[in-house]
Amino acid sequence: MSLPKTMAANGLLADVVVSKLVDHLPVYRQVNRHARQGVHLSRSTLCDWLMDTADVLMPLYRLLKDRVLSDWVLFTDDTPVRVQELEKCRLGRLWAYCSRFGTVYDATPDRCRDGRSGSWRGSRGICSVMRMPATTRSLPEPRAR
């Protein structure tokens, strides 16, 4: 997964991504960790690598998401997450979609029915969600099998 205009090896890029997203290690701590090992990287460089890696992996994410959402039975639920804005934090939603093909995640700015349903609009089947007024009317009709 080489990134253009960088000399970083794939292993280093994978380490930055896994440290940030799996181990929950903030970028500034990664900078300190690498500095202790004699590798001096700036925060902005690591942030650029994270964004560039996300861009490279986006087609794979879309493929997985399409596959998961194409299943006949889909389970979904949301988790509230704090989203940092310029002056303050607001509450957004992180949605998990699970099927026999895997699990994908999506984010929406709120719990509105239009935000979540946009991810699986046009799909046919059963979608099991937590029943609440905002989602009840947005469920598609199950098709006959």
Side-chain angles (χ1 to χ4, degrees):
M1 148 186 80
S2 297
L3 296 179
K5 300 180 183 177
T6 183
M7 292 177 51
N10 292 341
L12 178 57
L13 296 172
D15 179 68
V16 171
V17 171
V18 169
S19 294
K20 173 72 174 147
L21 302 178
V22 178
D23 299 334
H24 308 285
L25 189 64
V27 174
Y28 77 92
R29 288 190 184 160
Q30 291 188 49
V31 169
N32 294 341
R33 183 185 68 183
H34 289 293
R36 284 193 305 272
Q37 297 172 357
V39 178
H40 299 284
L41 301 168
S42 68
R43 261 171 103 172
S44 63
T45 298
L46 293 183
C47 289
D48 288 344
W49 289 351
L50 284 166
M51 289 188 301
D52 292 345
T53 302
D55 290 341
V56 168
L57 294 175
M58 187 56 72
L60 185 60
Y61 167 77
R62 286 191 190 116
L63 185 66
L64 178 62
K65 185 175 178 181
D66 289 345
R67 177 107 170 140
V68 167
L69 296 180
S70 72
D71 200 2
W72 192 72
V73 177
L74 182 67
F75 300 94
T76 184
D77 199 9
D78 69 315
T79 300
V81 292
R82 291 194 163 287
V83 178
Q84 180 69 48
E85 292 190 340
L86 293 177
E87 300 278 330
K88 59 181 180 173
C89 287
R90 65 174 173 79
L91 198 60
R93 297 290 171 166
L94 183 64
W95 293 88
Y97 299 96
C98 303
S99 78
R100 62 189 165 141
F101 299 123
T103 303
V104 293
Y105 299 91
D106 200 4
T108 58
D110 53 29
R111 193 181 224 169
C112 72
R113 111 183 85 132
D114 294 335
R116 180 183 44 79
S117 64
S119 294
W120 46 267
R121 185 172 286 130
S123 63
R124 302 279 185 252
I126 297 170
C127 182
S128 175
V129 296
M130 185 173 60
R131 294 300 235 173
M132 52 180 287
T135 60
T136 301
R137 288 177 282 156
S138 66
L139 294 175
E141 292 295 322
R143 70 176 175 186
R145 283 232 175 218

